[in-house]
Amino acid sequence: MAKQLLGKEVTAALNAKLQAQVEELKAKGVVPTLGIVRVGERPDDLSYERGATKRAELIGVEVEKFVLPEDVSKEDLLKVIDEINANDKIHGVLMFRPLPKHLKADQDEICNRLDPKKDVDGMTDLSNAGVFMGKSMGYAPCTPAACMEILDHYGIDCTGKKAVIIGRSLVVGKPAAMMLMAKNATVTVCHTRTKDVPSVTREADILVSAAGVLRSLTKEYVRPGQIVIDVSINWDEAKGGIAGDAVYEEIEPIVEAITPVPGGVGSVTTSVLIGHVVEAARLAADL
């Protein structure tokens, strides 16, 4: 039976640290504040917003919401971002993506309008450059950062280990590869054009699955002794709930440790987001 790498244990430790930092900031007159920019009423956006708001309240971070109609113009959205950039009381910004179809062609421009110092979810080019260059510019995307928090919390040393990532998105796969290399792992990235993916993943000591395909990670992809980080959140119609990429009942008896879905990476991601807001507030206050 594999050890469960439970997000709630990582989150509890993160929250306690962040609550202490927030108390220190408030004692000095600084109230860490997250600005949430939402265009439209997508159910997944609303769900994440509720979770982020609840976590912020728990830690003591204020939340200011900027809710815009789904048909908002590019100009009006950019105006809101400019106002947030100029507002010193807002330290970090979460903007839900993807934006509506009529803004899709301009999404890069819109994202990069945000001041990177307030980019707590890794949506600007400068934040991504920071991850790839190993420099403190902006903030890493929260999901791969949550994966690293899990590895650190459970004392999993990546040095010299073979790490394989399934997925090469700019949101998870590519930054996760850079972050694992920063931990001295030897990294391979698999994608839709990779031949015989199971033969590659079985060589991994640490396997990160970010394919976003329900039940795509089967027992053929793993071997005993592996650490499996299942990043994906998929809707499982048969079970009427969310599930990861892993066919959990097949893989859990084989590997050494695994993150469950739900209860794994996703539960840590929100605390990482709020942690970035607190760090941005500390930097803005020069503390």
Side-chain angles (χ1 to χ4, degrees):
M1 181 179 292
K3 178 179 180 178
Q4 286 196 327
L5 304 177
L6 297 174
K8 65 180 181 181
E9 296 184 12
V10 186
T11 297
L14 274 174
N15 290 352
K17 179 180 74 173
L18 293 172
Q19 285 166 339
Q21 291 176 348
V22 169
E23 288 180 9
E24 178 189 355
L25 284 165
K26 288 184 175 179
K28 296 181 179 181
V30 179
V31 180
T33 301
L34 168 67
I36 295 179
V37 179
R38 172 165 52 81
V39 178
E41 304 285 334
R42 283 168 49 110
D44 52 343
D45 290 349
L46 291 168
S47 176
Y48 192 86
E49 181 180 299
R50 286 191 294 270
T53 301
K54 185 177 180 181
R55 190 64 50 86
E57 290 173 350
L58 175 67
I59 292 169
V61 169
E62 296 291 322
V63 176
E64 186 169 347
K65 298 178 182 179
F66 301 84
V67 180
L68 302 167
E70 189 171 359
D71 62 352
V72 67
S73 69
K74 169 187 167 182
E75 291 72 24
D76 285 346
L77 178 52
L78 289 174
K79 183 180 178 181
V80 169
I81 293 173
D82 288 341
E83 290 172 355
I84 292 171
N85 285 341
N87 187 343
D88 292 338
K89 293 183 179 180
I90 297 177
H91 303 100
V93 177
L94 168 66
M95 183 173 75
F96 290 110
R97 293 152 288 157
L99 294 170
K101 290 181 179 179
H102 71 284
L103 297 172
K104 185 175 181 180
D106 299 308
Q107 182 162 300
D108 284 348
E109 178 189 349
I110 293 167
C111 289
N112 282 297
R113 189 71 158 252
L114 179 66
D115 183 345
K117 293 192 295 294
K118 299 187 180 190
D119 178 20
V120 293
D121 195 30
M123 72 180 188
T124 64
D125 290 347
L126 193 59
S127 287
N128 282 306
V131 175
F132 281 77
M133 296 169 67
K135 294 184 178 181
S136 297
M137 300 187 299
Y139 295 86
C142 293
T143 300
C147 296
M148 302 307 119
E149 289 285 352
I150 290 170
L151 293 171
D152 289 345
H153 179 83
Y154 285 101
I156 298 168
D157 185 5
C158 299
T159 301
K161 301 286 181 62
K162 293 181 180 179
V164 174
I165 301 167
I166 303 175
R168 55 179 170 180
S169 76
L170 201 56
V171 177
V172 181
K174 289 178 180 178
M178 296 300 107
M179 296 165 89
L180 283 165
M181 278 195 278
K183 289 179 172 293
N184 300 310
T186 300
V187 181
T188 300
V189 178
C190 295
H191 46 79
T192 53
R193 299 297 179 90
T194 302
K195 295 181 179 179
D196 194 7
V197 174
S199 70
V200 179
T201 59
R202 285 194 299 268
E203 293 295 314
D205 299 305
I206 300 168
L207 174 58
V208 178
S209 185
V213 180
L214 180 68
R215 299 180 71 84
S216 59
L217 193 71
T218 63
K219 61 184 179 181
E220 287 77 23
Y221 287 73
V222 300
R223 62 166 173 79
Q226 288 180 310
I227 309 296
V228 176
I229 308 293
D230 191 349
V231 173
S232 298
I233 297 177
N234 308 299
W235 180 255
D236 188 341
E237 191 70 39
K239 294 183 178 180
I242 63 171
D245 290 337
V247 182
Y248 191 85
E249 63 273 18
E250 285 188 9
I251 291 176
E252 186 270 339
I254 299 173
V255 301
E256 180 178 324
I258 187 170
T259 58
V261 181
V265 176
S267 58
V268 181
T269 299
T270 312
S271 285
V272 169
L273 172 73
I274 304 303
H276 287 171
V277 177
V278 175
E279 178 63 18
R282 287 168 62 88
L283 290 173
D286 198 23
L287 295 175

